[in-house]
Amino acid sequence: MEQDLDPRVEKELKQAALLIAQAQSVVALTGAGISVESGIPDFRSPGGLWSKYDPRTYCDYRHFLQQPQLFWEMAKEMHEEMRNAVPNAAHMALARMEREGFLSSIITQNVDNLHQQAGSQKIFELHGNAIMSTCTGCSIKAPTINCVAQAEVVKVPKCSLCDGVMKLDVILFGETMPSSTLQDAMQAAASAHVLLVIGTSLKVSPANMMVTLCQQQNGRIVIIDPDSSLSRKADVMLCGPAGTILPRLSVMASHLRNVSTEAAKKFATSESGGSLL
Ligand code: APR
């Protein structure tokens, strides 16, 4: 049974669905909030990862080079949460929107691989992916699950070939991200008629630049997040959990694409629930 949405959200939902239904290109920008309903805490909400681990010490590249055991202490916990996680209704809705041809790509800050597990294809991972790790000495790769098992015993997992320190394939603060991924993501954001921003506080760059790049080309910003303070950055703000709102939005947009523009506009501006038929 569907959870009732606040009537104000219902109204905004129609606006957002109309924008998406009429857009040539829709791109999603996702953050840790989209995976909260899969059991992975985000970073900056109360009880988030940064309330336990200071990112300046545990998630900083220069610190990693000097004291990798601190990073691995945090990485073990992150990995444990990711290992048991499965995609939720929000991830599945994005994968369906891509299959139905009205989502061009996903720009994600997440390293949890849940978009891939949901079946999404075109994904720009700005901060890397935690499934694999790489030796900082000889660049050989190994599954992170093996490194975490090692870290349970020796604190810092080492390379089996050169004894170098292993590092998750994620981008730490102060580390340069692959320029090709960033360029592709910036291009996707700049060409989006609608940027669907889901579960990110927009506090980290260059990810938060995607909103500006889209707006500079007259693109529209739809935000899905329980934190209403983000509404100042949005054309349409959908306040609530992504796992409830996104499946509704994708179904409504899909329906609106199949009716006349007139009927779609009438539906989107109607006060009452009304139907599309
Ligand atoms: N549905 C939608 N949004 C949610 C949900 C939910 N169920 N639960 C929480 N959120 C929102 C929060 O309100 C917040 O705005 O998700 C956002 C999470 O913000 P952050 O914790 O700051 O995570 P994110 O924006 O992804 O962080 C960006 O910062 O710490 C670095 O590398 C890390 O990739 C990360 C980057």
Side-chain angles (χ1 to χ4, degrees):
M1 193 174 69
E2 282 191 336
Q3 182 191 340
D4 275 346
L5 288 176
D6 177 312
R8 281 163 300 171
V9 178
E10 269 309 338
K11 190 161 175 277
E12 301 286 343
L13 195 66
K14 290 181 185 176
Q15 297 296 327
L18 184 64
L19 277 179
I20 290 170
Q22 296 183 330
Q24 298 295 315
S25 155
V26 179
V27 170
L29 172 65
T30 66
I34 199 172
S35 298
V36 164
E37 292 158 86
S38 295
I40 305 176
D42 63 18
F43 296 93
R44 295 173 181 82
S45 294
L49 197 70
W50 295 157
S51 66
K52 267 178 102 172
Y53 300 97
D54 182 340
R56 290 163 299 182
T57 310
Y58 286 85
C59 198
D60 176 87
Y61 190 55
R62 266 180 315 109
H63 270 91
F64 172 79
L65 295 176
Q66 291 151 8
Q67 300 172 288
Q69 71 279 13
L70 295 177
F71 170 77
W72 275 103
E73 184 190 327
M74 176 192 71
K76 280 190 294 183
E77 182 173 329
M78 283 175 76
H79 186 265
E80 193 50 34
E81 279 150 359
M82 288 182 199
R83 194 157 69 102
N84 304 320
V86 293
N88 63 56
H91 298 103
M92 304 311 280
L94 288 180
R96 190 175 53 246
M97 287 169 77
E98 185 184 30
R99 276 196 308 278
E100 290 180 3
F102 61 102
L103 183 77
S104 323
S105 60
I106 297 173
I107 303 166
T108 190
Q109 299 166 86
N110 300 346
V111 298
D112 56 28
N113 207 51
L114 291 181
H115 287 303
Q116 288 88 339
Q117 286 180 41
S120 292
Q121 301 296 316
K122 200 161 180 195
I123 305 164
F124 304 115
E125 293 179 301
L126 293 180
H127 299 162
N129 186 305
I131 294 281
M132 296 296 283
S133 294
T134 300
C135 170
T136 52
C138 69
S139 301
I140 198 167
K141 285 191 178 295
T144 296
I145 194 161
N146 299 355
C147 299
V148 166
Q150 225 193 96
E152 296 293 353
V153 184
V154 291
K155 291 206 167 148
V156 176
K158 295 288 182 74
C159 170
S160 54
L161 275 187
C162 77
D163 208 39
V165 172
M166 298 299 290
K167 177 182 169 292
L168 256 70
D169 289 354
V170 300
I171 305 290
L172 305 182
F173 287 106
E175 192 178 358
T176 314
M177 67 177 59
S179 61
S180 57
T181 310
L182 181 56
Q183 290 305 325
D184 293 346
M186 289 168 72
Q187 210 164 1
S191 65
H193 293 171
V194 174
L195 188 68
L196 197 44
V197 178
I198 308 154
T200 174
S201 61
L202 295 172
K203 290 209 169 107
V204 168
S205 73
N208 55 11
M209 278 169 34
M210 303 303 160
V211 171
T212 317
L213 288 171
C214 178
Q215 287 170 325
Q216 282 170 348
Q217 304 298 322
N218 301 319
R220 311 297 292 279
I221 308 297
V222 173
I223 297 184
I224 302 179
D225 198 298
D227 177 0
S228 60
S229 73
L230 289 163
S231 60
R232 67 187 188 285
K233 296 185 178 169
D235 293 291
V236 183
M237 177 76 207
L238 301 172
C239 234
T244 302
I245 292 178
L246 199 49
R248 294 258 196 112
L249 178 62
S250 67
V251 169
M252 202 181 273
S254 176
H255 282 168
L256 284 178
R257 273 169 56 124
N258 300 327
V259 300
S260 70
T261 308
E262 203 193 318
K265 282 192 180 146
K266 194 162 157 244
F267 171 78
T269 50
S270 68
E271 284 301 323
S272 64
S275 84
L276 284 167
L277 301 176

